[in-house]
Amino acid sequence: MSLLGRDDETICAVATPPGKGGISVIRISGSNAYSVVRKLCSFLPKRPESHKVHYGVLKNNETDIDEVLVTFFRAGRSFTGEDTVEISTHGSPTITSMVLTELNQWGVRIAEPGEFTYRAFMSGRIDLVQAEGVLSVIESQSPRANRLALKQLQGHHSNELKTLEDELTWVLAHCEANIDFASEDIETASFEQLSNVLLRSQKSIQQLISGYKIGKGIQEGLFILLFGHPNVGKSSLLNRFVGYDRAIVTEVPGTTRDVVEESIWYQGFKLIFSDTAGVRKATDQVEKLGVQKSLDMVEKADKVLLVLDASEKVTLDPRLTSLPELGKKLIVLFNKSDQSIHDKSSLDRVMTDLSKSFDLRDTAETPFFEVSAKSNTGLDQVLSYLVDEYQQYSESQESAIISNVRHKELLGKAAVSVEKALKLIQSGDSPEFIAFELQSGLMAIQEILGKKFDDEIMDRVFKEFCLGK
Ligand SMILES: Nc1nc2c(ncn2[C@@H]2O[C@H](COP(=O)(O)OP(=O)(O)OP(=O)(O)O)[C@@H](O)[C@H]2O)c(=O)[nH]1
Ligand SMILES: [Mg+2]
């Protein structure tokens, strides 16, 4: 069901997670919020002060339901922009459902998922990017993801998009002035000035798009695959990385069959490790399926740790080297370096073979580490290396880092329009054509911010929210 076109009824929902806890918070928003709550909480003053907390007993007629704290937020100073009341009860699903029933009886209906945030958006308190930021903050799975999401919620991304909107509007206005007053002697900006502004916009759009991969990695976590031949120590490495015995380790080659996943935080980033079956020509059915899963996982991973046993002569299985995706994500770990290295020159040969297989210019392009799961050496360097690109990018980047695919797609549209407009300007084309391109670029930016929207966009954005948000 679409949320658009909704009434201005007063709505309520439990804003805290379902279940028992220290407290639960019930949120009520709409013009009747305070008057209805006051019917249940007779201790509340007739004329409330915004942001002030009151303590008392919430009752159904004369029956006590719970001791509660009630906070009133006046319209214009609340999250939704409307009069809002928050009731903190003891954290019991029985109490919250009793309170909701009382509220319903006084005409307050249960909110749709995301409806509070939707109202915040509709009242102009936040734009669509910030509304999505609310969800990202709630869903963030690591300190770095949280930082990124909070910036989005606080309007960092929106400001950059608004600058783009201003620039495109400015250029468009000048093009339109050229159309409207072409015959009159009105001074408009030169084509060179217009093109300079557009070049600047183009650069910021490209910067935003190019940061998406990093942003997504920060938001969702980095997928890291432990991959290689059987018995090289993949599961032992997984256990070291995650700090406990997550996977079974034995000296029998072919121990791991299914994909074993575990995540950690490192330097505030979420790293999701997947340990897989060793790749070899398997004979039994179960192992065959496991090997196929390992090979399939390469495509999904952000980085692949190709684990090799440094204490043995390494001969690369052709199934490993025939995966074109692997070359771009490859990090080589020579494990078991606590034992004597079989033959240093054979390691060099492996690196050369890998470079050749993946068409890399030289071995220096493929990072490799000598590590030992047994003595726990070299693993910190591997972890630092894994997050290095993300860390450097997020620390050096002044501009916003986007992580939302909707933003990326619309920025892509804007980039195409700006590029076309620039070409038209440079070739001295008619301002009508330039204006047309600028309008579609502008539309894409405004769609990101939610200045242009339809039911489908709203539904897509707000359906992700849970009840009470
Ligand atoms: N000396 C030494 N032995 C290791 C090291 N890492 C793993 N091993 C041993 O190598 C054997 C295989 O280890 P696993 O971690 O099960 O290897 P795997 O790659 O997961 O093997 P599969 O699941 O069969 O593909 C076990 O006997 C481990 O104790 C290491 O760094 N040094
Ligand atoms: Mg294993």
Side-chain angles (χ1 to χ4, degrees), residues 191-310:
F191 273 16
E192 196 189 344
Q193 282 170 304
L194 300 186
S195 154
N196 284 343
V197 173
L198 276 189
L199 282 168
R200 199 165 58 219
S201 311
Q202 188 181 42
K203 201 169 154 220
S204 359
I205 294 174
Q206 273 158 0
Q207 209 156 33
L208 285 167
I209 296 175
S210 67
Y212 170 71
K213 204 173 147 269
I214 300 273
K216 189 164 170 283
I218 295 176
Q219 188 66 28
E220 294 177 4
L222 313 180
F223 288 91
I224 297 152
L225 190 66
L226 285 150
F227 186 66
H229 301 143
N231 225 35
V232 292
K234 299 180 295 301
S235 303
S236 310
L237 286 165
L238 172 81
N239 292 348
R240 282 293 190 186
F241 282 130
V242 305
Y244 77 105
D245 279 347
R246 173 69 180 83
I248 298 172
V249 168
T250 71
E251 67 286 352
V252 183
T255 301
T256 307
R257 302 295 181 91
D258 222 332
V259 179
V260 182
E261 198 178 279
E262 185 59 289
S263 36
I264 58 163
W265 283 353
Y266 182 78
Q267 309 270 338
F269 293 97
K270 184 181 179 188
L271 305 181
I272 307 153
F273 288 97
S274 294
D275 174 29
T276 54
V279 176
R280 66 171 171 183
K281 195 162 175 9
T283 44
D284 81 272
Q285 172 78 350
V286 183
E287 193 179 353
K288 265 189 196 158
L289 292 172
V291 170
Q292 193 51 50
K293 270 203 170 185
S294 306
L295 298 169
D296 293 345
M297 290 289 286
V298 170
E299 188 156 357
K300 293 183 201 137
D302 290 312
K303 301 274 180 207
V304 179
L305 301 176
L306 175 63
V307 185
L308 301 171
D309 184 342

Side-chain angles (χ1 to χ4, degrees), residues 77-328:
R77 294 188 61 198
S78 70
F79 174 63
T80 57
E82 308 170 325
D83 271 359
T84 302
V85 181
E86 283 180 11
I87 308 175
S88 305
T89 65
H90 286 98
S92 142
T94 312
I95 296 172
T96 52
S97 64
M98 283 163 81
V99 176
L100 290 183
T101 307
E102 289 305 313
L103 291 168
N104 290 163
Q105 270 165 17
W106 289 103
V108 177
R109 75 165 165 80
I110 300 289
E112 300 281 343
E115 198 170 1
F116 290 95
T117 313
Y118 175 71
R119 286 193 174 189
F121 166 69
M122 291 307 281
S123 72
R125 272 260 306 124
I126 53 175
D127 61 42
L128 198 55
V129 175
Q130 290 174 296
E132 289 165 319
V134 173
L135 189 65
S136 299
V137 166
I138 295 167
E139 307 252 300
S140 60
Q141 297 177 39
S142 67
R144 295 277 183 164
N146 170 264
R147 215 183 293 170
L148 207 69
L150 197 61
K151 275 193 161 182
Q152 184 176 335
L153 173 62
Q154 289 170 336
H156 191 70
H157 298 59
S158 307
N159 289 341
E160 236 165 272
L161 292 162
K162 280 179 200 148
T163 307
L164 275 172
E165 187 191 11
D166 290 345
E167 287 172 355
L168 297 186
T169 310
W170 185 84
V171 181
L172 178 62
H174 280 274
C175 283
E176 283 176 346
N178 253 318
I179 302 167
D180 297 342
F181 308 110
S183 52
E184 297 168 36
D185 211 11
I186 291 199
E187 200 168 322
T188 51
S190 69
F191 273 16
E192 196 189 344
Q193 282 170 304
L194 300 186
S195 154
N196 284 343
V197 173
L198 276 189
L199 282 168
R200 199 165 58 219
S201 311
Q202 188 181 42
K203 201 169 154 220
S204 359
I205 294 174
Q206 273 158 0
Q207 209 156 33
L208 285 167
I209 296 175
S210 67
Y212 170 71
K213 204 173 147 269
I214 300 273
K216 189 164 170 283
I218 295 176
Q219 188 66 28
E220 294 177 4
L222 313 180
F223 288 91
I224 297 152
L225 190 66
L226 285 150
F227 186 66
H229 301 143
N231 225 35
V232 292
K234 299 180 295 301
S235 303
S236 310
L237 286 165
L238 172 81
N239 292 348
R240 282 293 190 186
F241 282 130
V242 305
Y244 77 105
D245 279 347
R246 173 69 180 83
I248 298 172
V249 168
T250 71
E251 67 286 352
V252 183
T255 301
T256 307
R257 302 295 181 91
D258 222 332
V259 179
V260 182
E261 198 178 279
E262 185 59 289
S263 36
I264 58 163
W265 283 353
Y266 182 78
Q267 309 270 338
F269 293 97
K270 184 181 179 188
L271 305 181
I272 307 153
F273 288 97
S274 294
D275 174 29
T276 54
V279 176
R280 66 171 171 183
K281 195 162 175 9
T283 44
D284 81 272
Q285 172 78 350
V286 183
E287 193 179 353
K288 265 189 196 158
L289 292 172
V291 170
Q292 193 51 50
K293 270 203 170 185
S294 306
L295 298 169
D296 293 345
M297 290 289 286
V298 170
E299 188 156 357
K300 293 183 201 137
D302 290 312
K303 301 274 180 207
V304 179
L305 301 176
L306 175 63
V307 185
L308 301 171
D309 184 342
S311 68
E312 287 191 339
K313 182 172 187 305
V314 181
T315 315
L316 290 167
D317 188 302
R319 266 163 301 186
L320 301 179
T321 46
S322 59
L323 294 166
E325 269 287 298
L326 183 57
K328 292 178 239 157

Side-chain angles (χ1 to χ4, degrees), residues 11 34 85 93 244 288 296 365 369 405 413 424 451:
I11 53 171
Y34 190 75
V85 181
Y244 77 105
K288 265 189 196 158
D296 293 345
E365 271 189 54
F369 297 86
V405 68
K413 273 194 191 171
L424 293 171
K451 290 188 178 181

